[in-house]
Amino acid sequence: MILYRAHLLWSNSLTELRDIEDGALLVDEAGRILASGLFEEVAAQCPRAEIQDLRPHWILPGLIDLHVHLPQYESVAMDGLELLPWLKTHIFPAEARFADASLAKAAAQRFFGDLLSLGTTMAVVYSTIHQGATDAAFIEAERCGIRAAIGKVMMDQNAPDVLSEHTETSLQQSGELIQQWHGKDAGRLLYALAPRFAPMCTPALMRGVGSLSEKTGAYIQTHLAENLDEIAWVGKLFPECANYTDVYRQHGMLNHRTLLGHGIHLDASERAMIRAAGATIVHCPSSNAFLESGVMPLRRWMEEGISVGLGTDVAGGPTLSMWNEMAMACTVSKIRSTLLKETRATVKPTEAFHLATRAAALSLGLSDRIGSLDNGMDADFVVVDPRRVDPAERNEDAADRVLSRLIYRADPRMVKATFVRGKQCFAQGS
Ligand code: GUN
Ligand code: ZN
């Protein structure tokens, strides 16, 4: 049993931030938070616990990245193209190299190591079409201790030859990976089926994905309504469907375990389908800006009751930092509301923090395990030093102001340590 003493900060809802100045987390051998609260009260519950005094650092729940591409990490920041030519020029050649599983293993080590160093404790990850590379990603996630949902990309039409699969092979290999990994290590590792996006998936593949998800409880991750040329292409390929979202709905891919990347250009009927299915839109503001895809009306989608989370979408987004993604969500909402003269449309750092923690956990159906520092949660948390992001090096300040600086002025040196299920997976300087 270990008792971590620090300033605790987490989000209960979009409007409710919890902070405990002299707080403590009591974590058991299984990595679960047995108690969280005032230091004195928690310490009294277990006088024999080893005390780790982390003051003046703060403890926050680990950040959750709901959309990121492992094999694209080394292709970040290739500026100048929109989605479809960018995929062809930079991304598909990079993904083709993952046919080599040893290259995939080395890339996975760098990728998960960097995520942990930035305070991300869970990521929902696209691999490539390669079963070996996907297996290597799981093996590395298992080793380094991060929590992850990972999936082999699936594409059986309109993909470059080297990245094309047969429908049956794609479903068969995905099924094998689900058997092998979904739920492993008491649910730390999960499977997220990854049909890339409608233009590169046949109806048979999408139907197969829907039934695999239904049968096994695996998540589905895909892209939706990101770019206008992409949307026009989907219209040509699927004329019998009412719109892009309807393609996924008609082929059984929309359920409460579906994570839809981007979702920028959606009409009211599409939003109604997503809400009815209980699917989640993963907002990727850095990527949307970088690839000039558009500006998603974040506030509007949230007010309509759609489940929303955040994703870095590396390499669409140029960094793995969820701090940066939270800042972008806020900044982009400000630019949108200024340009369009919308009132009350801006998103605050406390709200972005909620999206990156508690809301993400809710969207994954994991809110009883992660996303907050409440009793009974798994001890997935990040230790930060707020003095690193304050020119005056203040430590004690109102929690919302500290959070605002951590987000807008994020600096990798502010992350002191990252824990997943009570295990320290990253420590600065070690
Ligand atoms: N749409 C289809 N594939 C991709 C991808 O790899 N990245 C992004 N941002 N959009 C996509
Ligand atoms: Zn993506």
Side-chain angles (χ1 to χ4, degrees):
M1 214 90 77
I2 302 183
L3 193 142
Y4 297 97
R5 184 175 190 178
H7 195 137
L8 308 182
L9 172 63
W10 74 97
S11 172
N12 273 337
S13 72
L14 269 180
T15 52
E16 194 195 346
L17 200 60
R18 279 274 279 144
D19 90 295
I20 304 173
E21 190 179 331
D22 189 6
L25 292 182
L26 182 63
V27 178
D28 71 11
E29 277 74 30
R32 187 162 297 197
I33 299 175
L34 283 186
S36 77
L38 284 169
F39 169 73
E40 280 197 3
E41 291 174 10
V42 177
Q45 280 183 41
C46 193
R48 287 193 311 279
E50 172 194 339
I51 295 179
Q52 293 220 1
D53 192 348
L54 302 176
R55 293 174 303 166
H57 299 156
W58 291 42
I59 292 180
L60 279 59
L63 304 176
I64 302 172
D65 186 342
L66 287 182
H67 183 124
V68 60
H69 298 259
L70 184 162
Q72 299 180 12
Y73 187 27
E74 281 142 62
S75 307
V76 283
M78 297 291 110
D79 199 1
L81 297 171
E82 285 194 22
L83 175 65
L84 299 175
W86 171 80
L87 285 174
K88 190 166 167 210
T89 308
H90 299 298
I91 298 308
F92 291 147
E95 292 195 7
R97 289 195 280 278
F98 278 62
D100 175 352
S102 63
L103 178 145
K105 181 179 172 202
Q109 270 169 11
R110 290 191 286 272
F111 176 79
F112 289 122
D114 286 0
L115 278 174
L116 288 164
S117 76
L118 292 162
T120 297
T121 51
M122 165 140 202
V124 182
V125 179
Y126 290 74
S127 169
T128 57
I129 63 156
H130 308 100
Q131 189 171 12
T134 310
D135 202 43
F138 270 113
I139 290 170
E140 179 53 23
E142 183 178 44
R143 188 198 65 78
C144 74
I146 199 167
R147 193 182 291 273
I150 305 173
K152 184 192 101 61
V153 163
M154 307 168 84
M155 22 188 186
D156 66 342
Q157 68 170 5
N158 298 321
D161 286 347
V162 280
L163 291 175
S164 280
E165 325 171 87
H166 290 297
T167 313
E168 283 315 314
T169 317
S170 183
L171 289 167
Q172 161 92 26
Q173 293 184 347
S174 299
E176 287 170 11
L177 287 162
I178 289 174
Q179 289 307 318
Q180 226 174 319
W181 292 105
H182 186 57
K184 196 128 190 240
D185 193 17
R188 179 168 65 84
L189 301 172
L190 296 159
Y191 200 83
L193 287 147
R196 182 167 216 125
F197 64 156
M200 297 192 178
C201 299
T202 60
L205 185 77
M206 290 190 276
R207 270 191 221 99
V209 165
S211 70
L212 265 177
S213 166
E214 191 91 340
K215 256 194 274 177
T216 62
Y219 297 105
I220 298 175
Q221 53 179 340
T222 190
H223 296 84
L224 172 70
E226 175 179 4
N227 168 285
L228 296 179
D229 291 339
E230 169 211 16
I231 294 169
W233 193 15
V234 172
K236 281 206 193 93
L237 289 169
F238 300 91
E240 69 288 2
C241 297
N243 48 50
Y244 197 161
T245 307
D246 193 40
V247 175
Y248 293 145
R249 189 191 63 83
Q250 281 200 30
H251 296 96
M253 271 181 36
L254 270 198
N255 66 42
H256 64 283
R257 289 183 292 269
T258 306
L259 302 168
L260 302 160
H262 307 281
I264 304 171
H265 312 283
L266 296 171
D267 69 25
S269 78
E270 296 184 274
R271 274 135 47 203
M273 285 180 210
I274 292 166
R275 213 171 33 242
T280 293
I281 290 181
V282 185
H283 181 38
C284 305
S286 315
S287 169
N288 296 345
F290 186 77
L291 295 175
E292 300 174 46
S293 302
V295 182
M296 197 193 88
L298 172 57
R299 169 69 66 198
R300 177 120 180 244
W301 285 189
M302 292 193 309
E303 279 180 354
E304 289 183 5
I306 296 174
S307 162
V308 181
L310 295 178
T312 59
D313 192 29
V314 154
T319 128
L320 285 179
S321 167
M322 281 297 289
W323 306 99
N324 183 65
E325 211 55 48
M326 290 188 274
M328 280 298 281
C330 298
T331 301
V332 164
S333 78
K334 287 180 197 242
I335 295 173
R336 183 183 166 90
S337 76
T338 314
L339 282 178
L340 300 180
K341 301 193 173 31
E342 293 171 334
T343 48
R344 293 184 301 105
T346 61
V347 170
K348 303 287 169 226
T350 49
E351 296 174 305
F353 178 58
H354 180 71
L355 294 181
T357 54
R358 177 104 181 124
L362 281 162
S363 76
L364 294 166
L366 296 175
S367 58
D368 57 340
R369 288 204 181 189
I370 57 172
S372 100
L373 301 178
D374 275 318
N375 293 353
M377 296 280 161
D378 282 0
D380 288 23
F381 63 86
V382 52
V383 180
V384 293
D385 183 353
R387 294 171 303 179
R388 282 286 181 195
V389 289
D390 184 350
E393 295 193 11
R394 276 167 298 190
N395 184 43
E396 296 312 325
D397 198 354
D400 58 341
R401 291 158 52 129
V402 168
L403 187 61
S404 185
R405 287 195 291 266
L406 289 170
I407 289 175
Y408 281 119
R409 294 174 49 77
D411 180 316
R413 292 170 307 166
M414 76 195 191
V415 178
K416 295 295 168 192
T418 305
F419 289 74
V420 179
R421 211 189 258 158
K423 177 181 159 201
Q424 184 163 333
C425 300
F426 166 78
Q428 197 179 102
S430 67

